[in-house]
């Protein structure tokens, strides 16, 4: 069995769904942002401020290149699927789920978040534009698109688990 990657915009539910899925499938769960924060000994806003976004993007690719060969669930950061190399690695080493949430749902969840530098430095209109611009990359990255709007966490987790079990042997 390969890795299960969750991709999608900030606030689409990658971490919450990843944690639940981990119980459901009895597979270890990792949050890429947390792993990078742990490795660097700095918060995401600190990394952005001190070294810039481009450096953070390099750390993301390095993480994907070097992460142990283990069957697990990985919640990626919202910008990970923008990079071609990242998309290639994820598709080669696992099953990729694009969690497709509506912008309104997303905005409600992220608007006051101080730990997301892109949210802090953008207006609602700019975030909406970014959401629209990024969508094709998430689609490109994902083997399976999961519409989350109007669905409970439980329904989403059960759906993903069903797909993982169905595609296990392939
Ligand atoms: C980012 C999303 C964040 C984090 C960083 C940049 C992005 O992860 O990696 O703040 O560019 O969309 P989440 O999607 O977990 O918020």
């Amino acid at each position: 069995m390969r890795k299960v990657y969750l991709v999608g915009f900030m606030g689409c539910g990658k971490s919450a769904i990843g944690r639940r899925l981990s119980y459901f499938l009895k597979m270890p769960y990792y949050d890429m942002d947390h792993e990078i924060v742990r490795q660097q000994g700095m918060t995401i806003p600190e990394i952005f401020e001190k070294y810039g976004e481009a450096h953070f993007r390099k750390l993301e690719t390095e993480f994907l290149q070097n992460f142990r060969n283990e069957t697990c669930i990985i919640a990626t950061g919202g910008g990970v699927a923008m990079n071609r190399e990242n998309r290639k690695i994820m598709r080669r080493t696992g099953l990729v789920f694009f969690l497709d949430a509506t912008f309104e749902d997303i905005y409600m969840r992220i608007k006051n978040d101080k730990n997301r530098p892109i949210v802090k430095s953008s207006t609602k209109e700019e975030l909406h534009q970014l959401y629209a611009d990024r969508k094709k990359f998430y689609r490109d990255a994902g083997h399976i698109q999961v519409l989350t709007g109007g669905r409970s966490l439980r329904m989403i987790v059960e759906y993903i688990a069903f797909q993982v079990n169905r595609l296990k042997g392939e």
Side-chain angles (χ1 to χ4, degrees):
M1 179 57 198
R2 301 164 294 170
K3 291 182 170 63
V4 173
Y5 293 99
L6 304 177
V7 306
F9 203 74
M10 295 174 271
C12 70
K14 298 177 297 261
S15 310
I17 291 167
R19 274 193 297 269
R20 286 270 195 111
L21 195 60
S22 160
Y23 283 115
F24 209 87
L25 287 173
K26 299 189 176 39
M27 272 165 71
Y29 162 76
Y30 301 96
D31 181 307
M32 233 172 117
D33 283 342
H34 288 180
E35 294 301 311
I36 291 174
V37 164
R38 208 165 47 83
Q39 282 168 8
Q40 300 299 310
M42 295 166 87
T43 65
I44 306 262
E46 282 166 356
I47 300 172
F48 267 65
E49 202 178 312
K50 188 147 186 223
Y51 300 111
E53 181 176 344
H55 177 75
F56 177 71
R57 299 302 173 198
K58 272 197 208 134
L59 297 175
E60 291 184 318
T61 301
E62 278 169 24
F63 173 89
L64 287 176
Q65 285 167 338
N66 301 327
F67 196 64
R68 67 185 82 116
N69 187 9
E70 176 188 14
T71 295
C72 62
I73 298 159
I74 298 180
T76 64
V80 168
M82 298 312 104
N83 175 296
R84 191 157 176 263
E85 168 75 4
N86 295 349
R87 292 196 296 274
K88 258 169 70 181
I89 297 172
M90 291 191 291
R91 290 184 67 96
R92 194 183 65 236
T93 58
L95 256 180
V96 186
F97 289 88
F98 163 29
L99 305 183
D100 189 3
T102 65
F103 181 72
E104 285 310 319
D105 281 352
I106 281 176
Y107 190 66
M108 286 301 289
R109 293 185 199 131
I110 64 175
K111 63 181 178 192
N112 296 319
D113 198 323
K114 304 272 175 290
N115 204 32
R116 288 177 164 120
I118 292 176
V119 174
K120 260 183 85 180
S121 64
S122 309
T123 62
K124 181 176 182 185
E125 288 66 35
E126 285 165 345
L127 286 171
H128 200 168
Q129 189 58 51
L130 189 66
Y131 169 86
D133 293 344
R134 283 181 166 187
K135 201 146 192 165
K136 59 180 178 298
F137 296 102
Y138 297 130
R139 278 214 197 94
D140 243 36
H143 291 106
I144 296 175
Q145 182 173 358
V146 183
L147 295 174
T148 62
R151 302 209 160 102
S152 67
L153 204 57
R154 191 194 170 91
M155 279 167 78
I156 297 166
V157 166
E158 283 180 2
Y159 175 73
I160 297 175
F162 169 78
Q163 296 293 348
V164 169
N165 286 327
R166 186 173 73 84
L167 296 166
K168 226 175 204 167
E170 287 182 17

